[in-house]
Amino acid sequence: MTKEQYARWSAPIARHPNGPRILKGVNTLLTRLCYVCYPLLLLALALRRDGRFWRALLVPAVSFVLVSLFRRCLNAPRPYQVLDIQPLIHKDTRGKSFPSRHVFSVFMIDMVWWYLCPPVGAVFFLAGVVLAAVRVLGGVHFPRDVIAGALFAAAAGWAGFWLV
C-alpha cells in the first residue's frame, strides 16, 4: 500500500461527515462482539462439560501467544509510521503491525466456531473480513498485515482442530 492508495481508499470515509466515527464504531463493535462471544462460548462448553472445551481454549491461547511473540520479534512498522498519513483510527502504537492481532484473534475465534458450529463460523468469518477491511481503511495496518493475521489463524485452527 502506498500513501496515494491509502488516500484513494480512505477518502470516501474521510469526506463523509460521520465516516471516521462510523469506521471507529465498526472497529470497536466487531472487536467487542467477538471478544464477548468467545468467553461465553467457553462458559457454555464448561457448563455442559463438553469434551471440546480444552481444545477450544488451548488452541487459540497457544496460537495467540505464538503470534504475539512473532510480531514482537519482527516489529514491523505501521502504515502511519511509514507513509506519513493521518490514520482514521487513532493509535499511538509503534511497530508490531505484522500480523494484525485483531484480525488474527477474530479469525481464530472464527475457527473455534467453525469447529463447534459451522453456521456461526460463517457469520464470524464475515465479521473477520469486515474487521480486516476496517483496520486497513483506518490506516493502522497494511493489507499484508490483515491477510497474514487471517491466514495464521486459519492455519493454527486447521492444525489444532482438524489435523491433531
Side-chain angles (χ1 to χ4, degrees):
M1 173 171 71
T2 65
K3 182 177 183 175
E4 293 75 24
Q5 286 172 318
Y6 179 72
R8 196 169 50 251
W9 295 343
S10 64
I13 298 164
R15 280 194 306 264
H16 189 279
N18 294 318
R21 187 176 58 78
I22 291 169
L23 188 74
K24 291 174 197 170
V26 170
N27 181 64
T28 301
L29 176 70
L30 289 178
T31 301
R32 288 184 181 164
L33 174 71
C34 292
Y35 294 168
V36 166
C37 288
Y38 177 61
L40 291 175
L41 172 63
L42 291 177
L43 180 62
L45 291 172
L47 290 174
R48 282 193 243 148
R49 299 194 191 313
D50 190 311
R52 300 172 295 179
F53 169 81
W54 288 108
R55 190 172 283 207
L57 174 70
L58 293 175
V59 170
V62 170
S63 302
F64 184 82
V65 169
L66 292 174
V67 162
S68 296
L69 291 172
F70 174 73
R71 92 184 203 144
R72 176 176 277 172
C73 290
L74 195 58
N75 201 26
R78 294 181 177 271
Y80 54 81
Q81 293 177 266
V82 176
L83 303 178
D84 190 33
I85 59 170
Q86 188 70 306
L88 296 177
I89 297 174
H90 178 74
K91 196 161 176 74
D92 291 326
T93 306
R94 312 289 291 168
K96 296 185 228 158
S97 182
F98 181 88
S100 167
R101 202 165 52 187
H102 271 82
V103 172
F104 170 82
S105 297
V106 170
F107 274 92
M108 190 72 247
I109 292 167
D110 171 52
M111 295 303 292
V112 176
W113 281 105
W114 276 107
Y115 172 61
L116 298 170
C117 182
V120 178
V123 172
F124 275 85
F125 176 81
L126 292 175
V129 170
V130 171
L131 184 65
V134 165
R135 303 295 288 172
V136 172
L137 292 171
V140 295
H141 283 292
F142 289 101
R144 68 169 188 244
D145 302 337
V146 298
I147 292 168
L151 291 176
F152 285 3
W158 177 76
F161 296 123
W162 291 282
L163 186 64
V164 175

